[in-house]
């Protein structure tokens, strides 16, 4: 059994200990015609290869459609206990909930130890094309669909706030009404955001996160604010990475790929959708994706990344996280 498989099973076991009495809900499997791309420029210029991925739609058992809806973008470990926990929060509040699986149909189980295996732009495309498909679902209020993401999925939630990208992929009529990221991957950002001021952003950070450290999110947060985004940042005490469902349980994952914090070194996407490494001593655009995400990411990892990160929390943040999550999306 691989490390990632063991980690997934461990998460599943912990989640089974912390949840009970879940409401039954209607389930519908959605086949989403998305794209697999090396870079965001492929999406903007409509040259990315078609890729069908699977999303699962859960409907609340109470309330009257059309429902407010939350689209969940998973982290590097794939669909797991985190998405399940927030599903219970969403359904309890009367929201529909959609889990987008960016890995299974691409033959990947996890990117935690190999982020080069699925590009960031492909996972963002999955969320955007899922939104497009939801516009055909009569039970969904398409004007009140928000996006939630953990870690890598948090990065997806940020990029999905960029209006030019949204318009290039799904047209000018569709957009997310709110963006909630939990310990997001902040090594990747846009050079400049163009956002809807009425689509708020909530960024939940772990005080002790050494996997996606809060300090790495500051350039991203600054640029979102410069763009006029309604950004709320909350730091949860004694919390490491992906802390929400791991109350009182902290462990070290030695093989996960993460950002270094000893120098500024980011993956930055320009207005043309071209992504390059931006760091001291390297001119922007010198090292770019250029059609090969795997080569690019491994180059970034060699310059800017390292291995190992801590997961969990010394406190039970679930009650507060539930409140923050439900209150945020109730604003849609």
């Amino acid at each position: 059994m691989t490390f990632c498989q063991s980690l997934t099973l461990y998460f599943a076991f912990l989640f089974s200990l912390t949840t009970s009495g879940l409401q039954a809900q209607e389930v519908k499997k959605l086949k989403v015609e998305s794209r697999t791309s090396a870079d965001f420029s492929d999406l903007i210029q409509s040259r990315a290869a078609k890729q069908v991925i699977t999303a699962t739609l859960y409907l609340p058992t109470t309330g009257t459609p059309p429902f407010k809806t939350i689209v969940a973008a998973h982290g590097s470990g794939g669909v797991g206990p985190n998405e399940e926990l927030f599903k219970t929060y969403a359904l309890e509040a009367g929201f529909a909930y959609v889990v987008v699986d960016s890995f299974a149909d691409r033959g990947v189980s996890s990117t935690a130890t190999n982020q080069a295996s699925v590009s960031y732009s492909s996972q963002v495309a999955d969320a955007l094309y899922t939104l497009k498909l939801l516009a055909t679902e009569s039970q969904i209020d398409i004007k009140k669909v928000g996006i939630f993401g953990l870690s890598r999925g948090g990065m997806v939630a940020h990029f999905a706030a960029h209006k030019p990208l949204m318009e290039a992929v799904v047209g000018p009529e569709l957009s997310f009404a709110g963006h909630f990221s939990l310990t997001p991957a902040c090594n990747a950002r846009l050079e400049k955001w163009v956002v809807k001021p009425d689509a708020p952003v909530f960024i939940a950070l772990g005080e002790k996160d050494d996997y996606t450290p809060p300090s790495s999110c500051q350039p991203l947060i600054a640029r979102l604010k410069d763009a006029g985004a309604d950004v709320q940042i909350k730091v949860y005490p004694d919390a490491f990475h992906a802390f929400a469902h791991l109350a009182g349980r902290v462990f070290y994952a030695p093989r996960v790929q993460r950002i270094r914090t000893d120098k500024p070194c980011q993956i930055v996407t320009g207005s043309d959708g071209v992504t390059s490494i931006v760091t001291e001593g390297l001119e922007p655009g010198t090292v770019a994706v250029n059609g090969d995400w795997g080569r690019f990411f491994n180059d970034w990892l060699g310059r800017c990344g390292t291995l190992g990160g801590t997961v969990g929390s010394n406190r039970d943040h679930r009650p507060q996280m539930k409140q923050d999550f439900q209150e945020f999306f109730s604003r849609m």
Side-chain angles (χ1 to χ4, degrees):
M1 181 178 292
T2 67
F3 168 79
C4 291
Q5 288 171 329
S6 299
L7 190 61
T8 299
L9 289 174
Y10 178 67
F11 278 168
F13 172 70
L14 292 181
F15 182 75
S16 70
L17 297 179
T18 57
T19 58
S20 61
L22 302 183
Q23 282 186 308
Q25 61 277 155
E26 296 182 44
V27 178
K28 182 176 182 179
K29 291 290 184 181
L30 305 175
K31 289 298 181 180
V32 181
E33 186 181 281
S34 183
R35 301 291 185 272
T36 289
S37 57
D39 200 359
F40 292 98
S41 57
D42 300 324
L43 300 178
I44 292 172
Q45 297 178 26
S46 301
R47 64 189 183 203
K50 292 182 180 180
Q51 169 71 59
V52 175
I53 59 102
T54 302
T56 307
L57 168 62
Y58 300 89
L59 298 174
T61 56
T62 59
T64 303
F67 297 108
K68 292 184 178 181
T69 302
I70 300 169
V71 171
H74 61 71
S76 298
V79 177
N82 184 77
E83 289 72 37
E84 285 292 311
L85 177 63
F86 283 87
K87 179 184 77 177
T88 66
Y89 296 166
L91 295 174
E92 181 184 301
F95 305 136
Y97 189 75
V98 183
V99 180
V100 182
D101 190 340
S102 292
F103 291 172
D105 290 298
R106 293 188 173 96
V108 175
S109 59
S110 171
T111 61
T113 60
N114 183 14
Q115 299 290 352
S117 58
V118 177
S119 70
Y120 288 170
S121 59
S122 293
Q123 192 167 357
V124 173
D126 295 344
L128 301 186
Y129 280 102
T130 297
L131 177 66
K132 184 176 182 179
L133 182 60
L134 289 177
T136 67
E137 294 286 334
S138 62
Q139 293 173 302
I140 303 302
D141 185 344
I142 198 60
K143 297 296 185 182
K144 295 181 180 180
V145 178
I147 184 168
F148 159 74
L150 162 74
S151 190
R152 198 182 217 265
M155 175 275 301
V156 174
H158 298 158
F159 273 78
H162 187 48
K163 284 180 61 180
L165 180 61
M166 288 288 302
E167 291 176 0
V169 175
V170 299
E173 301 302 319
L174 297 177
S175 62
F176 286 105
H179 307 257
F180 190 115
S181 63
L182 171 60
T183 56
C186 290
N187 62 315
R189 62 171 174 82
L190 286 155
E191 183 178 27
K192 182 179 180 180
W193 257 274
V194 180
V195 302
K196 291 180 60 179
D198 59 348
V201 178
F202 189 104
I203 301 177
L205 301 173
E207 177 191 26
K208 297 181 178 180
D209 193 342
D210 59 2
Y211 188 172
T212 56
S215 60
S216 71
C217 293
Q218 296 312 309
L220 177 149
I221 291 168
R223 281 163 176 78
L224 278 170
K225 288 184 174 180
D226 287 345
D230 175 6
V231 184
Q232 180 181 355
I233 300 102
K234 184 166 184 175
V235 180
Y236 295 77
D238 291 329
F240 293 93
H241 190 69
F243 61 86
H245 67 282
L246 291 171
R249 302 173 179 91
V250 176
F251 66 95
Y252 187 73
R255 293 173 53 196
V256 297
Q257 297 173 338
R258 68 171 177 86
I259 190 172
R260 287 167 54 184
T261 57
D262 57 339
K263 63 175 182 178
C265 194
Q266 297 227 322
I267 295 171
V268 180
T269 302
S271 58
D272 55 1
V274 174
T275 301
S276 62
I277 299 172
V278 175
T279 186
E280 295 174 356
L282 188 67
E283 290 294 324
T286 304
V287 179
V289 173
N290 290 330
D292 191 339
W293 169 258
R295 172 202 51 78
F296 170 81
F297 187 86
N298 286 325
D299 194 329
W300 177 86
L301 186 67
R303 296 170 184 267
C304 314
T306 186
L307 300 179
T310 310
V311 179
S313 178
N314 294 312
R315 300 191 189 185
D316 185 356
H317 290 285
R318 285 170 299 175
Q320 185 62 57
M321 179 58 70
K322 175 182 175 180
Q323 178 179 332
D324 294 339
F325 178 83
Q326 292 178 337
E327 288 183 354
F328 175 78
F329 285 113
S330 292
R331 294 165 58 188
M332 291 193 302

